[in-house]
Amino acid sequence: QYKHDTQVVASWLATTAKAFGWSGQVGGSSTGKTPTKPSGRLKGKERKKAKAAQMSTDEPPAISEPSKPKYVLAIKDFVPLAEHIADASNAAKIEIPHSFSVALERVLWARKSFSERFEDANHRSDQKSDARHSFFVNILEKVRKTLQPLLSVNAFNLSDLKDATTSIGTHKDKKGLSSLFQVLDVYEPSAAFEAAPDVVLPPSRALEYTFEAEEDSQFEALFAMTALMDDLSRLRLEIAELWTRYEAGEMDIAAVSVATNTAIELARSFEDDISPFVQKNGGSSVFHVKYFNAVSGALGIDSEAKQRLTDDYNFAAYDIADGLLINTLINIIAHVRVNPLGEIPNYNGFYGWYDEESVQSSGSARQKYARIKPALLELLSDLPLISNHQNRVEDQVMHGMMTTLRTAKQERKATPDVPIWFSFAAQVYLDTLNIVKIGKGWTDMQRVMRNVKQSVDCLSIFCPERRKVLDALELWDQGMGPIAMIRRSLGKPYKDYTFFRRHFMHCGLWVHYMRTLFHQQGVVYAAVPGTVLCTTQLYHALQKEQCLNYRWKDLETLRKLQGNSTFFIGEPPSSFEGYFNNFCLTIGSSITNWAHNKRDKRLKVSKENKPLMKFGAVASALVANRIVPLSARQIVSVDVVEDWIQKCRESQGNAETKKTQTPKANKEKTRQPLIHKLAAAVATEIAELDFDYFAIHNQC
């Protein structure tokens, strides 16, 4: 949010100055080249590859996620642009939007507060970094002073708005981490903030300009890392809330798993924003550990003062390590060092085995760490085996493991680079072990698999749609499970389906994948012969003529899901002639056959008239494309997730409802965490995914 606010300031200054006659150059291309409008059409080999991939999967094509080119605006240009806008206001009325005022105030408050916190903790920083930081703060203050006459009387001013932020209670109290993250609480508005004027900021894709960051600045690196950790801390809490609701029976495992997996993808996009700072400071693992040591030191703990020589760190800093994802980082590094890519990973129980009956929240820091260490090492050993087992689903924990192994093999560093988002994903896995009963996700997964298998088992063995569904099901219909088979063949003990009983998110993503596959293949199966279309038209005609004394609820549900356009040309008919004419049109008869002055008496056929059955559950389909291994996908962003949610609402006919909502209702919806909204959107599509198109076709 901090970076977004700074982009809002830069973009408004640049675009407004240009609109009012600024003649100088405004920023350079972020790529160093003149940006061109990307073509929406692939060419050459790329087009052939895409076409071949689409033909091989008989699935609806994924919707692309375009990214808008950005221009880089130098910090030194901020003041001249502001002065030009102030001068131009003498000849024309310029209104400064509330969003600009909010963004500017929050950026200033966050930077100054963070600097004061580290100075109070006597944290060492280089003078050059401090000077650059002070320079940027001074620039922003000059911009605010220059534009002050243009601000409205009710302009947002953080210093005048009491209680503008919520308390630090939104964070877990990690032995002082709350005081570090508190400088960013300005981005968590309270009721007083909500009472302020409309402060909805434009989305990232609407911004043309970004700012020139100081990548070699120690202050910028520490501030960026703190902002990232603050975001991940909030995501952790939001994910935990979803799994708590699943354990209570309030939410479906697929909806929660999709939201969790997407949250980890968002964490990956957040890390990409600070990647230049990370690489300038030795890489992700090295900088991550340096940051942990710096924060621990600032909070009065020497993280390297171990009580025992064999300890991984000073357990007095356990809560800080937990909040900063160090516990998972240390164990991932250790695992990757001794289990390189290409070898069968094997945890030998040196640190014990995970006790599924234990409670992690109890005991000393040493005892807590002793419980999570084997749980994580057992998981890390299983991930490559699952990944190599013709898997149809790849969650972000698995993706992070394989990405880290490949990177370690290529770079051969003494300390393997572990992405921060992978440490976050591993921590989310550990969190769920303490929330959900072991085996609950595997039980739900088996139930869904049985229902799907029962539905398609009765079809002809020559049916291609049946074969595709069963091929996916048979991957796990092997008695003891694939990992147990491999482990036991090597003479190692392994309890059946341990990976699935503990990894709830993976089970939930499998449920989502099977539901989506079942829906898509069912639509194809029901659409090709046209039997459902003809039966629906006949049922409609008999109902209109009051010839039926019962209702076919499944067929009515299908018609509601697909809409009238799937079964009729134009409005549904209500007369004998209309029934016949509409039926002829839907089976391919050309409308010219009804022309009065027709000379050619031969029957004309038009394939364009034939209505097509539609794939439903738009948001679910978009997500399903992202959990398939080796699928080409861009890094997801907040804007992309919001698009998924909006597409879900539109597909269910809620677009008009959204437009007529009051501002108060919109704010209530905005306050709901994004991943909670995604979980709710996916949950609303479950009934559509579960609808049995195979059965309705056979009944027709």
Side-chain angles (χ1 to χ4, degrees), residues 336-372:
V336 172
R337 279 174 172 163
V338 298
N339 294 282
L341 186 67
E343 297 184 8
I344 297 178
N346 180 44
Y347 172 62
N348 59 11
F350 181 80
Y351 298 101
W353 300 95
Y354 177 65
D355 182 3
E356 296 182 353
E357 302 299 326
S358 65
V359 180
Q360 184 182 336
S361 59
S362 62
S364 65
R366 183 180 300 278
Q367 291 171 332
K368 292 178 184 177
Y369 189 74
R371 276 195 290 268
I372 66 172

XYZ file of all heavy atoms in Angstrom, residues 336-372:
301
model
N 17.283 -28.069 1.874
C 17.771 -27.935 0.493
C 19.259 -28.267 0.406
O 19.720 -28.849 -0.582
C 17.494 -26.508 -0.037
C 18.151 -26.288 -1.385
C 15.999 -26.263 -0.135
N 20.016 -27.936 1.430
C 21.453 -28.228 1.428
C 21.747 -29.723 1.349
O 22.685 -30.146 0.680
C 22.108 -27.647 2.685
C 22.416 -26.155 2.589
C 22.920 -25.635 3.913
N 23.393 -24.253 3.802
C 23.587 -23.446 4.837
N 23.345 -23.897 6.073
N 24.016 -22.218 4.660
N 20.959 -30.537 2.047
C 21.240 -31.981 2.097
C 20.363 -32.795 1.154
O 20.567 -34.012 1.024
C 21.072 -32.503 3.546
C 22.056 -31.822 4.472
C 19.645 -32.314 4.042
N 19.400 -32.158 0.497
C 18.513 -32.873 -0.439
C 18.428 -32.112 -1.754
O 17.408 -31.497 -2.073
C 17.113 -33.022 0.159
C 17.078 -33.919 1.369
O 17.100 -35.142 1.254
N 17.035 -33.316 2.554
N 19.514 -32.124 -2.548
C 19.510 -31.376 -3.811
C 18.533 -31.959 -4.820
O 18.081 -33.104 -4.687
C 20.959 -31.510 -4.296
C 21.453 -32.771 -3.674
C 20.774 -32.854 -2.334
N 18.226 -31.158 -5.816
C 17.307 -31.591 -6.876
C 17.886 -32.808 -7.598
O 19.068 -32.859 -7.914
C 17.094 -30.444 -7.866
C 16.056 -30.668 -8.962
C 14.659 -30.766 -8.364
C 16.096 -29.532 -9.984
N 17.039 -33.792 -7.853
C 17.477 -34.994 -8.562
C 17.654 -36.194 -7.658
O 17.737 -37.327 -8.134
N 17.725 -35.986 -6.354
C 17.835 -37.086 -5.405
C 16.504 -37.277 -4.681
O 15.743 -36.330 -4.514
C 18.945 -36.807 -4.380
C 20.331 -36.705 -4.991
C 21.405 -36.529 -3.936
O 21.077 -36.649 -2.730
O 22.562 -36.259 -4.315
N 16.251 -38.510 -4.251
C 15.016 -38.776 -3.509
C 15.177 -38.241 -2.091
O 16.021 -38.724 -1.331
C 14.706 -40.283 -3.466
C 14.475 -40.804 -4.886
C 13.471 -40.548 -2.604
C 14.215 -42.295 -4.953
N 14.414 -37.214 -1.729
C 14.570 -36.633 -0.387
C 14.085 -37.595 0.684
O 13.098 -38.309 0.491
C 13.699 -35.379 -0.442
C 12.685 -35.671 -1.495
C 13.349 -36.564 -2.498
N 14.790 -37.604 1.805
C 14.412 -38.538 2.852
C 14.737 -37.943 4.213
O 15.898 -37.687 4.531
C 15.150 -39.870 2.668
C 14.783 -40.873 3.745
O 13.610 -41.026 4.084
N 15.780 -41.553 4.283
N 13.712 -37.716 5.003
C 13.909 -37.274 6.382
C 13.991 -38.518 7.257
O 13.079 -39.352 7.257
C 12.759 -36.369 6.823
C 12.795 -36.033 8.295
C 13.872 -35.325 8.831
C 11.786 -36.448 9.152
C 13.921 -35.034 10.196
C 11.823 -36.157 10.506
C 12.898 -35.448 11.020
O 12.966 -35.168 12.352
N 15.082 -38.671 8.012
C 15.332 -39.903 8.769
C 14.864 -39.857 10.212
O 15.148 -40.779 10.987
C 16.833 -40.240 8.736
C 17.694 -39.126 9.334
O 17.169 -38.193 9.947
N 19.000 -39.222 9.138
N 14.172 -38.787 10.595
C 13.663 -38.711 11.955
C 14.678 -38.255 12.973
O 14.466 -38.430 14.189
N 15.779 -37.646 12.534
C 16.835 -37.219 13.451
C 16.304 -36.245 14.504
O 16.737 -36.265 15.659
C 17.973 -36.568 12.652
C 19.127 -36.112 13.498
C 20.078 -37.025 13.938
C 19.267 -34.779 13.859
C 21.150 -36.611 14.729
C 20.329 -34.355 14.650
C 21.272 -35.279 15.093
N 15.379 -35.386 14.127
C 14.799 -34.405 15.057
C 13.453 -34.871 15.612
O 12.690 -34.073 16.158
C 14.628 -33.051 14.364
C 15.929 -32.454 13.902
C 16.314 -32.537 12.571
C 16.793 -31.823 14.803
C 17.516 -32.001 12.142
C 18.003 -31.281 14.376
C 18.356 -31.380 13.043
O 19.557 -30.851 12.620
N 13.176 -36.160 15.467
C 11.912 -36.703 15.935
C 10.861 -36.676 14.831
O 11.128 -36.312 13.684
N 9.650 -37.073 15.189
C 8.534 -37.092 14.239
C 7.420 -36.203 14.776
O 7.261 -36.052 15.984
C 8.019 -38.520 14.028
C 9.076 -39.434 13.498
C 9.874 -40.265 14.220
C 9.474 -39.575 12.140
N 10.745 -40.925 13.405
C 10.524 -40.522 12.105
C 9.064 -39.001 10.943
C 11.161 -40.916 10.939
C 9.691 -39.383 9.765
C 10.729 -40.331 9.766
N 6.655 -35.653 13.861
C 5.586 -34.736 14.270
C 4.505 -35.491 15.031
O 3.996 -36.517 14.564
C 4.982 -34.040 13.052
C 3.815 -33.137 13.397
C 3.999 -32.003 14.181
C 2.525 -33.437 12.961
C 2.944 -31.182 14.520
C 1.461 -32.612 13.280
C 1.674 -31.493 14.059
O 0.629 -30.683 14.396
N 4.142 -34.966 16.186
C 3.084 -35.548 17.008
C 1.758 -34.899 16.616
O 1.521 -33.730 16.904
C 3.387 -35.307 18.493
C 2.335 -35.929 19.409
O 1.405 -36.587 18.886
O 2.434 -35.740 20.638
N 0.904 -35.663 15.965
C -0.359 -35.120 15.465
C -1.337 -34.771 16.585
O -2.319 -34.073 16.348
C -1.009 -36.116 14.496
C -0.177 -36.353 13.237
C -0.852 -37.297 12.262
O -1.901 -37.875 12.631
O -0.346 -37.452 11.133
N -1.058 -35.231 17.785
C -1.934 -34.926 18.914
C -1.439 -33.738 19.731
O -2.093 -33.309 20.684
C -2.047 -36.149 19.835
C -2.562 -37.402 19.151
C -3.963 -37.228 18.593
O -4.752 -36.490 19.232
O -4.264 -37.806 17.540
N -0.281 -33.176 19.367
C 0.310 -32.102 20.165
C -0.395 -30.778 19.912
O -1.068 -30.591 18.903
C 1.798 -31.951 19.839
O 1.971 -31.535 18.494
N -0.208 -29.836 20.836
C -0.756 -28.488 20.712
C 0.418 -27.525 20.670
O 1.150 -27.375 21.648
C -1.686 -28.140 21.889
C -2.235 -26.727 21.723
C -2.811 -29.151 21.989
N 0.612 -26.867 19.536
C 1.803 -26.059 19.347
C 1.829 -24.822 20.237
O 2.884 -24.332 20.613
C 1.924 -25.617 17.883
C 3.206 -24.843 17.592
C 3.259 -24.384 16.149
O 2.637 -24.966 15.292
N 4.008 -23.329 15.887
N 0.671 -24.294 20.592
C 0.627 -23.030 21.330
C 1.098 -23.164 22.769
O 1.331 -22.167 23.443
C -0.786 -22.457 21.303
O -1.701 -23.384 21.876
N 1.236 -24.395 23.265
C 1.642 -24.590 24.654
C 3.129 -24.930 24.727
O 3.730 -25.384 23.762
C 0.820 -25.713 25.296
O 1.051 -26.936 24.623
N 3.721 -24.709 25.929
C 5.114 -25.060 26.134
C 6.043 -23.878 25.943
O 5.639 -22.776 25.560
N 7.331 -24.127 26.193
C 8.345 -23.088 26.034
C 8.664 -22.874 24.565
O 8.230 -23.638 23.698
C 9.611 -23.496 26.788
O 10.175 -24.661 26.191
N 9.453 -21.834 24.289
C 9.856 -21.561 22.906
C 10.626 -22.736 22.328
O 10.442 -23.105 21.156
C 10.697 -20.287 22.860
N 11.495 -23.347 23.132
C 12.267 -24.502 22.670
C 11.343 -25.667 22.316
O 11.537 -26.357 21.304
C 13.276 -24.906 23.745
C 14.190 -26.065 23.336
C 15.169 -26.400 24.454
N 15.997 -25.244 24.758
C 17.083 -24.912 24.066
N 17.449 -25.653 23.032
N 17.782 -23.849 24.404
N 10.335 -25.912 23.147
C 9.395 -27.006 22.895
C 8.545 -26.743 21.651
O 8.270 -27.657 20.871
C 8.507 -27.201 24.122
C 9.235 -27.762 25.327
C 8.395 -27.735 26.590
O 7.507 -26.876 26.747
N 8.650 -28.659 27.513
N 8.118 -25.506 21.482
C 7.344 -25.157 20.281
C 8.165 -25.404 19.024
O 7.679 -25.969 18.040
C 6.912 -23.690 20.343
C 5.890 -23.370 21.418
C 5.583 -21.876 21.421
C 4.648 -21.492 22.543
N 4.404 -20.025 22.589
N 9.424 -24.961 19.052
C 10.285 -25.124 17.881
C 10.555 -26.602 17.601
O 10.607 -27.026 16.447
C 11.602 -24.385 18.102
C 12.470 -24.310 16.865
C 12.144 -23.447 15.814
C 13.607 -25.096 16.744
C 12.930 -23.384 14.676
C 14.401 -25.038 15.612
C 14.059 -24.176 14.582
O 14.843 -24.126 13.447
N 10.703 -27.394 18.686
C 10.945 -28.824 18.525
C 9.748 -29.530 17.901
O 9.899 -30.588 17.278
C 11.273 -29.453 19.882
N 8.542 -28.968 18.040
C 7.346 -29.569 17.425
C 7.223 -29.230 15.949
O 6.838 -30.065 15.135
C 6.088 -29.126 18.177
C 5.788 -29.956 19.412
C 4.372 -29.724 19.905
N 4.192 -28.402 20.468
C 4.340 -28.098 21.748
N 4.695 -29.035 22.611
N 4.143 -26.875 22.197
N 7.526 -27.956 15.593
C 7.314 -27.555 14.199
C 8.441 -28.039 13.284
O 8.216 -28.234 12.083
C 7.179 -26.023 14.071
C 8.490 -25.313 14.426
C 6.027 -25.521 14.908
C 8.473 -23.829 14.125
